[in-house]
Amino acid sequence: MKKTDAIAMLLAGGQGTRLEDLTLKNAKPGVMFGGKYRIIDFSLSNCFHSEIYTVGVMTQYKPLLLNRYIGNGNAWALDKVNQGAYILPPYMREDHAEWYRGTADAVYQNFEFIEMYDPEYVVILSGDHIYQMNYRPMIEQAKEKDADLTICVRTVPWEETFRFGIVDTNEEMRIVDFQEKPKDAKNNMASMGIYVFKWSVLKEALEKDHYDDASQKDFGHDVIPRLLNEEKNIFAYLFDGYWRDVGTVDSYYQANMDLLDQRDDLDLTKDKLRVYSNNENREPHFVTKEANVSNSLIADGSYIAGTVKHSVLSRDVIVEEGAVVEDAILFGNVRIKKGAVVTRTIVSYNVVVDENEIVGQKDSENVTLYTGEASS
């Protein structure tokens, strides 16, 4: 197969336990976002805008919905000749079968896929972040600096540094130190989990990691520190756009609410970095003359007769007359009956909120995750 300059390997097998009931039946990258999208849409759309048309998607936990959703990548215009999105689950080998043991091991188990394309660079991505980015300038920087590894970084609040890999650079943006989720960080420059590796360097590093019994098979914990000790050319690429790790209920809720602020750095429909999805088209939503709707995203097939303020509604949602939905996220096929009030809440799929029921507290610091009793 003709050599290409870059392919992407997308890590999408995470269980996402901190998202609680949102991931009971679906992997975290497959969770709905913004009414009609899924979290993984961001990474796949970014690949299209970066002219990376070969994407290996490594799935593991609850993969059925995600596998069906991604298909061959045609929804994101990745289905070029001999290219596309490819689902890469763990599989039986000659002597054994095993789950992906970590982020590094997931890529290692798919060496044969990468070798089919023989790329100059391999872009490692996570399928559970909300951001819009063209990876091409990062790849070009890697070429200019002859970098063995380039890590995409951004500043984070000091109180959140313990959640990330923290890098220290010199004046040339060469990384001289890396701390994985430190208790006492040296600075607040955090890795976004986006890596551009020379394929030759990645292959050698993961082969060493595979045979290291003490390794946790993780890029941040094991592979990057090893490459630093070997004095490889490792550089940082600074990203200053919108980015959020939606690994918790609170961060997921806040990212949805950010959509309502009309931010320049989070605009899902702007042509330059538009986000695409594979959700089927439905009939238009309908808002009655009695309804009161403001500053909200409402997806296809929804029927609104009540009050909806500062909320995100997925498809086929019904808000009956006299019902109030405010500062909320409603997943698909939810019905809010007459007189019910839903505030500062994420309502899961297929839930009916009964007449005059009150869910959530407007002034609470915490977000309510409401699963209710699923309708038949």
Side-chain angles (χ1 to χ4, degrees):
M1 189 170 291
K2 184 179 179 180
K3 188 178 181 69
T4 182
D5 78 326
I7 70 170
M9 299 296 285
L10 178 54
L11 296 158
Q15 182 174 354
T17 55
R18 292 180 298 163
L19 283 179
E20 303 175 26
D21 289 349
L22 298 181
T23 54
L24 283 179
K25 298 181 180 180
N26 192 8
K28 180 165 58 171
V31 171
M32 295 295 296
F33 181 83
K36 67 174 297 182
Y37 303 92
R38 297 186 185 274
I39 295 172
I40 199 171
D41 287 335
F42 287 83
S43 296
L44 292 173
S45 298
N46 290 342
C47 286
F48 165 73
H49 293 298
S50 307
E51 299 181 348
I52 300 174
Y53 302 119
T54 300
V55 184
V57 184
M58 293 162 284
T59 61
Q60 180 163 275
Y61 172 79
K62 301 287 186 181
L64 182 60
L65 187 151
L66 197 57
N67 293 355
R68 180 181 178 185
Y69 180 75
I70 293 171
N72 67 353
N74 68 306
W76 303 271
L78 300 176
D79 55 335
K80 311 296 182 183
V81 177
N82 295 323
Q83 299 181 85
Y86 299 86
I87 303 299
L88 303 173
Y91 59 91
M92 178 74 73
R93 295 179 178 274
E94 292 82 358
D95 54 349
H96 67 287
E98 62 184 17
W99 291 107
Y100 294 143
R101 291 180 289 167
T103 55
D105 182 62
V107 178
Y108 174 83
Q109 287 197 40
N110 289 287
F111 269 7
E112 290 182 6
F113 172 80
I114 301 174
E115 287 174 337
M116 284 197 308
Y117 292 92
D118 190 24
E120 297 178 56
Y121 295 92
V122 178
V123 184
I124 308 295
L125 305 172
S126 295
D128 54 4
H129 297 158
I130 302 298
Y131 68 113
Q132 294 167 272
M133 178 181 177
N134 184 341
Y135 307 123
R136 187 54 56 176
M138 185 177 174
I139 295 171
E140 293 307 315
Q141 177 185 297
K143 293 178 179 180
E144 291 170 5
K145 294 182 177 293
D146 192 29
D148 297 312
L149 165 62
T150 303
I151 301 176
C152 194
V153 300
R154 65 167 296 118
T155 57
V156 297
W158 279 95
E159 62 271 17
E160 294 183 13
T161 53
F162 73 94
R163 299 176 50 218
F164 301 97
I166 300 299
V167 306
D168 191 16
T169 66
N170 63 17
E171 63 278 3
E172 298 176 348
M173 294 299 285
R174 181 187 292 271
I175 295 176
V176 296
D177 190 30
F178 183 91
Q179 298 174 283
E180 177 66 2
K181 298 180 180 179
K183 293 182 179 179
D184 186 16
K186 296 179 181 179
N187 62 63
N188 64 337
M189 188 75 73
S191 166
M192 295 166 57
I194 301 170
Y195 312 121
V196 174
F197 278 94
K198 278 185 180 177
W199 166 223
S200 57
V201 173
L202 176 64
K203 184 175 182 179
E204 179 182 356
L206 293 189
E207 285 175 339
K208 290 179 181 178
D209 185 70
H210 176 72
Y211 292 105
D212 182 357
D213 293 336
S215 172
Q216 297 182 22
K217 314 304 179 190
D218 182 79
F219 280 107
H221 191 273
D222 305 289
V223 176
I224 295 173
R226 183 195 295 273
L227 292 175
L228 275 173
N229 289 336
E230 293 176 355
E231 298 184 346
K232 298 291 188 182
N233 291 328
I234 305 178
F235 288 86
Y237 176 84
L238 184 62
F239 178 73
D240 60 359
Y242 181 94
W243 179 82
R244 188 180 287 272
D245 180 345
V246 288
T248 66
V249 171
D250 285 342
S251 62
Y252 170 82
Y253 175 85
Q254 187 55 55
N256 274 269
M257 294 298 102
D258 288 343
L259 287 173
L260 306 177
D261 292 340
Q262 300 181 19
R263 307 169 55 120
D264 291 335
D265 57 356
L266 185 62
D267 184 348
L268 308 191
T269 60
K270 62 184 178 182
D271 291 337
K272 188 175 181 180
L273 290 171
R274 180 177 178 180
V275 179
Y276 299 95
S277 78
N278 196 24
N279 287 311
E280 59 188 273
N281 293 325
R282 307 291 289 241
E283 63 274 14
H285 66 265
F286 182 78
V287 179
T288 70
K289 63 181 180 180
E290 295 83 12
N292 179 10
V293 179
S294 63
N295 197 32
S296 297
L297 287 173
I298 301 174
D300 305 342
S302 293
Y303 178 90
I304 313 299
T307 297
V308 178
K309 296 182 178 180
H310 198 257
S311 295
V312 176
L313 278 57
S314 297
R315 66 188 189 190
D316 299 325
V317 167
I318 297 175
V319 179
E320 295 185 357
E321 188 174 353
V324 176
V325 176
E326 188 170 0
D327 298 326
I329 302 168
L330 309 187
F331 278 27
N333 200 36
V334 165
R335 183 171 185 173
I336 312 298
K337 291 193 171 183
K338 295 179 180 180
V341 177
V342 178
T343 56
R344 198 166 170 75
T345 297
I346 303 172
V347 181
S348 191
Y349 299 99
N350 305 320
V351 169
V352 174
V353 179
D354 290 329
E355 289 188 18
N356 301 316
E357 186 175 357
I358 298 176
V359 180
Q361 299 180 17
K362 182 176 179 60
D363 298 326
S364 174
E365 294 183 358
N366 298 319
V367 177
T368 300
L369 178 57
Y370 186 72
T371 58
E373 292 293 330
S375 60
S376 59

